[in-house]
Amino acid sequence: MDTDAQRHELAAEGWQRGLYDDVKDTFRAPIVNWIFRTTMANEPDFLRYAWGQVKPVFETRAFGRLTVRYRDAVCSALEAEGPLPTYRPSDVALAPEAYRELRGQLATYDVVAPRLAVLFETMDRALHDDPVGQAPATDRAATAPFPAALDRDRGRSPTLLDLGAVPDDLADTVDAIQAFHGFEADALPSIYRTLAQWPSFLEAMWADVEPRLAGDAFETACERTDDLVTTFVDETPSRPRLGPDDLARVGFDDDTVAGVQGLFREFNTGPVATVLPALHVYAATVDATGERDGFG
């Protein structure tokens, strides 16, 4: 699979554009994440089939509750050792309009973090014939619809720099980010290429937040979010048919199956696992986090 290839939203037509619209509506975010774009570029028929299988996972009140609890698990763990740093425009040398754009884009990342965590866990399990929904919950939220207003129209569409366009002044910060998460020098997650558009913010924020992320509190946050996602995927009423035999029966060959298995295993178990919880921390520094309680 060519992970450099992407089918961008503006290049998508017909059912592919419709699927992207559905992903955005289901995820409550004005973005089609990289995982969808690269899968569409490499294996469009697989993505069409797989989205039909996993979409119901994201359509229940129980999933809405999971997103709220995931966010709170991160922020509460960090706040237990002291307030997170927060920044006004003047603190990071940003004009008000630039600060509004920054907050809007961070709000979108705050929305998608738990959705991607559940997507990666569900797809990784299902593609390897590991159980999904083996202990379905019996409470009303398990099958009730996703709350219509939750996370709706909350963020702005993220923009980001190519890695080669990241300002040289951020070289030390980028090195520290890559070292923290375990990325190679030629890889930098989308969130950081977004934040690199505002170098004064990224540099100041990372200097303040890195020691917190390196501490026990963030490790606790990651453990709590892992537990929440694991339990949710165990208890979802949906059982996606994405195992190797299922895919073979609907016409996918061994190369396709192996490619998507490797892709989702990498995202579910690799360095991205520490990126997703951190998105809520970054959003909190500009008061761009969403709901953290109120869903039973």
Side-chain angles (χ1 to χ4, degrees), residues 108-235:
T108 294
Y109 283 104
D110 178 72
V111 169
V112 301
R115 289 156 172 84
L116 292 177
V118 168
L119 177 71
F120 296 152
E121 177 72 14
T122 302
M123 290 290 293
D124 186 26
R125 287 199 206 182
L127 287 166
H128 289 87
D129 254 344
D130 293 330
V132 173
Q134 73 273 25
T138 58
D139 63 329
R140 183 175 181 177
T143 51
F146 189 95
L150 181 61
D151 285 334
R152 177 70 75 183
D153 299 326
R154 194 162 68 78
R156 298 193 182 197
S157 181
T159 52
L160 55 159
L161 301 177
D162 291 334
L163 182 55
V166 173
D168 292 341
D169 290 349
L170 287 174
D172 290 344
T173 299
V174 168
D175 288 347
I177 289 167
Q178 291 168 324
F180 173 76
H181 291 296
F183 285 101
E184 300 294 333
D186 61 349
L188 187 65
S190 297
I191 176 61
Y192 298 110
R193 291 188 288 125
T194 289
L195 296 180
Q197 297 172 109
W198 302 282
S200 57
F201 171 79
L202 178 55
E203 191 169 36
M205 186 274 292
W206 184 254
D208 291 339
V209 166
E210 181 185 18
R212 305 287 295 273
L213 298 182
D216 292 341
F218 187 67
E219 183 176 352
T220 297
C222 292
E223 291 171 354
R224 290 176 181 174
T225 53
D226 283 347
D227 288 345
L228 285 168
V229 170
T230 297
T231 299
F232 173 79
V233 176
D234 288 345
E235 296 181 347

Side-chain angles (χ1 to χ4, degrees), residues 10 39 56 58 60 69-70 79 91 96 103 107 121-122 129 140 149 161 182 186 191 207 212 214 230 232 255 267 291:
L10 291 178
T39 307
F58 304 98
T60 66
R69 291 178 175 176
Y70 185 106
E79 291 165 352
D91 296 330
R103 289 189 72 242
E121 177 72 14
T122 302
D129 254 344
R140 183 175 181 177
L161 301 177
D186 61 349
I191 176 61
R212 305 287 295 273
T230 297
F232 173 79
D255 287 344
F267 272 78
E291 294 281 353

